[in-house]
């Protein structure tokens, strides 16, 4: 009897029995065997809690703003430093190009690392680099120029250090460590905190995107990790995307069936639907015209009868 009371929340209104979840979980963990994406389970206050890494794909179309500093770290270039940098801009242009390439290579290596710590510490960023530079009392012109122009990487995603504007590559993936009791809003805030994103969480939403083109929004009260288990472990079939709240749009299964067709094919579908619509209109027009004629005939017959009387 006690086992029947164990459940997992799909949303605030929907619950899933423990037996169903365990069956799905066995499939999920079997698919990820030997990887860090297997989920652990524990029971807490009559609930079954799942814990583990959750992959989230970037689906942003607009840049996001990143914090320039971690915590209370600060770094500013004084007037003399800026003038020294300006004098050597042309002399070190080739070196700057080489620095960017080196940074890109090191950023790609950082992007391949999977999230291991539940504290969700991000990889080497502009702030951590500036902290090292700050410890030195003097800065060479080359070091200062590198600070101003170098493109630092957060998990393989690059942004401009000067403007702190960051546009993740569409379809690139990151992950966060979550549990099944965390709602969509909580997971979203966790992801934004991981990358020190200054934008408000209300600007973004999560979508479960199916390979067929179907797009289902994860509501604020839903639990993304549970949704991931229910949709299955294979991310070739379905993925969780983060998108802008004002740009995302749900696509039903019926509509998704037509998305992958070429425009000429879709145009032919529209033409056929118009022809069918016209046939139905003509059919209904004839039907009600006949009814109208019958009614008028009956009325005329009654009028003649009353006149004779």
């Amino acid at each position: 009897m006690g086992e029947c009371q164990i459940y997992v929340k799909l949303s605030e209104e929907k619950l899933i029995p423990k037996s169903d979840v365990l069956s799905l979980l066995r499939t999920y963990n079997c698919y990820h065997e030997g990887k860090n994406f297997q989920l652990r389970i524990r029971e807490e206050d009559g609930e079954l809690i799942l814990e583990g890494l959750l992959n989230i794909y970037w689906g942003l179309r607009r840049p996001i703003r990143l914090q320039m500093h971690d915590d209370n770290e600060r770094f500013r270039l004084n007037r003399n430093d800026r003038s020294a940098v300006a004098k050597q801009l042309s002399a070190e242009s080739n070196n700057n190009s080489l620095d960017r390439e080196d940074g890109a290579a090191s950023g790609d290596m950082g992007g391949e690392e999977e999230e291991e710590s539940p504290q969700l510490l991000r990889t080497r960023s502009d702030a951590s680099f500036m902290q090292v530079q700050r410890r030195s009392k003097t800065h060479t012109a080359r070091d200062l120029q590198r600070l101003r122009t170098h493109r630092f990487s957060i998990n393989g995603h690059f942004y401009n250090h000067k403007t702190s504007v960051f546009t993740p590559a569409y379809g690139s993936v990151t992950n966060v460590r979550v549990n099944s009791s965390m709602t969509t809003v909580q997971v979203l805030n966790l992801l934004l905190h991981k990358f020190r994103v200054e934008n408000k969480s209300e600007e973004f939403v999560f979508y479960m995107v199916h390979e067929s083109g179907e797009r289902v929004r994860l509501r604020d009260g839903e639990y993304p990790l549970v949704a991931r288990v229910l949709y299955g472990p294979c991310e070739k079939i379905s993925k969780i995307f983060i998108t802008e709240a004002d740009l995302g749009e749900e696509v039903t299964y019926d509509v998704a069936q037509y998305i992958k067709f070429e425009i000429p094919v879709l145009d032919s579908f529209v033409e056929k639907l118009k022809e069918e619509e016209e046939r139905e209109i003509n059919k209904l027009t004839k039907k009600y015209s006949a009814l109208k004629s019958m009614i008028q005939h009956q009325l005329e017959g009654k009028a003649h009868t009353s006149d004779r009387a």
Side-chain angles (χ1 to χ4, degrees), residues 32-262:
H32 290 298
E33 186 174 1
K35 302 178 184 178
N36 292 331
F37 289 93
Q38 286 189 322
L39 303 179
R40 298 189 299 270
I41 58 173
R42 59 183 172 87
E43 292 184 11
E44 183 177 302
D45 297 331
E47 292 187 27
L48 189 68
I49 306 296
L50 312 180
E51 296 178 324
L53 292 175
L54 177 66
N55 270 348
I56 298 174
Y57 290 78
W58 295 101
L60 303 179
R61 301 295 185 181
R62 294 192 292 252
I64 53 178
R65 300 184 305 276
L66 296 180
Q67 296 176 9
M68 290 294 291
H69 310 281
D70 288 333
D71 301 327
N72 296 322
E73 295 176 5
R74 293 292 183 270
F75 181 85
R76 291 192 178 96
L77 299 177
N78 59 40
R79 186 175 303 174
N80 294 331
D81 291 335
R82 287 196 293 268
S83 61
V85 169
K87 292 178 181 178
Q88 297 196 15
L89 280 176
S90 58
E92 297 190 355
S93 59
N94 293 333
N95 291 332
N96 293 334
S97 300
L98 180 60
D99 291 338
R100 292 189 190 97
E101 294 174 0
D102 293 340
S106 62
D108 290 340
M109 292 177 63
E112 294 175 359
E113 295 181 0
E114 293 177 337
E115 183 64 51
E116 292 292 340
S117 171
Q119 298 178 354
L120 301 172
L121 300 177
R122 62 176 174 176
T123 57
R124 178 181 171 117
S125 66
D126 61 325
S128 62
F129 183 82
M130 288 188 290
Q131 182 183 25
V132 175
Q133 294 295 326
R134 187 175 51 130
R135 293 172 183 170
S136 176
K137 295 182 180 179
T138 60
H139 304 280
T140 66
R142 180 175 179 178
D143 290 337
L144 295 170
Q145 174 62 11
R146 180 182 299 159
L147 277 174
R148 298 191 66 179
T149 62
H150 190 71
R151 294 174 65 84
F152 296 99
S153 164
I154 297 181
N155 285 11
H157 305 301
F158 292 92
Y159 67 97
N160 187 286
H161 167 73
K162 182 178 179 181
T163 61
S164 187
V165 172
F166 166 48
T167 306
Y170 190 90
S172 57
V173 63
T174 186
N175 55 65
V176 288
R177 186 173 295 278
V178 300
N179 62 56
S180 58
S181 64
M182 296 177 66
T183 64
T184 298
V185 175
Q186 291 173 322
V187 175
L188 181 56
N189 284 325
L190 195 62
L191 176 65
L192 298 181
H193 176 72
K194 174 180 178 179
F195 291 103
R196 303 299 191 268
V197 177
E198 290 186 347
N199 301 65
K200 296 181 180 179
S201 60
E202 292 81 5
E203 298 179 30
F204 309 103
V205 292
F206 285 148
Y207 278 90
M208 184 68 76
V209 180
H210 198 272
E211 65 171 350
S212 65
E214 181 183 4
R215 294 167 56 91
V216 180
R217 179 176 172 178
L218 298 182
R219 306 298 173 184
D220 292 346
E222 293 188 68
Y223 301 86
L225 187 59
V226 179
R228 174 73 273 173
V229 173
L230 291 179
Y231 274 85
C234 182
E235 294 184 347
K236 293 181 179 179
I237 297 177
S238 59
K239 301 176 181 178
I240 296 179
F241 271 81
I242 176 174
T243 66
E244 291 88 351
D246 59 335
L247 295 182
E249 184 180 1
E250 286 192 295
V251 178
T252 64
Y253 175 77
D254 294 334
V255 175
Q257 296 181 70
Y258 297 98
I259 289 179
K260 294 184 178 181
F261 287 107
E262 298 293 336

Side-chain angles (χ1 to χ4, degrees), residues 3-4 6-8 15-22 48:
E3 186 174 347
C4 296
I6 305 298
Y7 57 89
V8 172
L15 303 177
I16 306 173
K18 175 182 177 180
S19 57
D20 294 346
V21 174
L22 291 179
L48 189 68

